[in-house]
């Protein structure tokens, strides 16, 4: 989708700049329509990914985390599994482009 394509380069830059220093990982969960699209789009991403063929699990994740639109970037605490921030995309695009306040917490 165009919003995903517009956001991905920003996320790649953020990841390459901050992932090691701030100790985080991204896992890409696809909403692509077919595996070819998924593989082609993933070539741009330097992070982990959820297996495209696990669509039932993907659908369950989207339901559990109330994903209603894409792209969506949710920040979890890696130790507890708790959600820290459901608007991480907005943080990267508008509020904290340099990652100075990362990890973001929902208020």
């Amino acid at each position: 989708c165009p919003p995903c394509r517009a956001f991905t380069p920003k996320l790649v830059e953020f990841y390459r700049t901050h992932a090691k220093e701030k100790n985080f990982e991204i896992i890409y969960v696809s909403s692509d329509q077919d595996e070819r699209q998924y593989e082609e789009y993933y070539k741009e991403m330097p992070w982990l990914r959820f297996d495209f063929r696990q669509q039932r699990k993907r659908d369950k994740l989207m339901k559990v985390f109330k994903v209603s639109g894409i792209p969506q970037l949710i920040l979890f605490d890696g130790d507890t599994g708790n959600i820290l921030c459901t608007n991480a995309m907005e943080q990267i695009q508008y509020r904290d482009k340099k990652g100075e306040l990362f990890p973001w917490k929902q208020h």
Side-chain angles (χ1 to χ4, degrees):
C1 70
C4 298
R5 295 270 180 198
F7 178 65
T8 298
K10 294 174 186 172
L11 185 56
V12 168
E13 180 181 341
F14 189 88
Y15 180 84
R16 288 189 172 141
T17 302
H18 300 291
K20 199 172 280 189
E21 168 198 345
K22 299 202 181 252
N23 192 29
F24 70 88
E25 188 54 76
I26 294 174
I27 302 172
Y28 171 56
V29 179
S30 170
S31 289
D32 290 309
Q33 298 300 311
D34 64 55
E35 195 164 1
R36 184 192 57 76
Q37 287 178 322
Y38 167 78
E39 292 294 338
E40 188 64 32
Y41 189 40
Y42 182 71
K43 288 179 185 176
E44 302 173 27
M45 302 174 193
W47 45 72
L48 302 173
R49 64 181 169 170
F50 194 80
D51 187 337
F52 179 82
R53 292 168 284 200
Q54 298 290 319
Q55 292 192 11
R56 279 195 195 135
K57 289 181 182 178
R58 179 206 59 196
D59 293 346
K60 187 173 182 175
L61 285 171
M62 292 180 77
K63 184 176 180 180
V64 166
F65 296 110
K66 300 177 181 145
V67 175
S68 59
I70 56 169
Q72 182 159 357
L73 185 62
I74 302 171
L75 181 64
F76 295 88
D77 181 306
D79 294 324
T80 67
N82 293 334
I83 295 175
L84 297 176
C85 177
T86 58
N87 69 344
M89 185 179 114
E90 184 178 315
Q91 297 290 337
I92 291 171
Q93 284 190 303
Y94 309 112
R95 296 185 179 184
D96 187 28
K97 294 178 183 182
K98 294 182 181 180
E100 294 169 344
L101 304 174
F102 185 89
W104 309 294
K105 307 246 184 300
Q106 211 74 8
H107 298 286

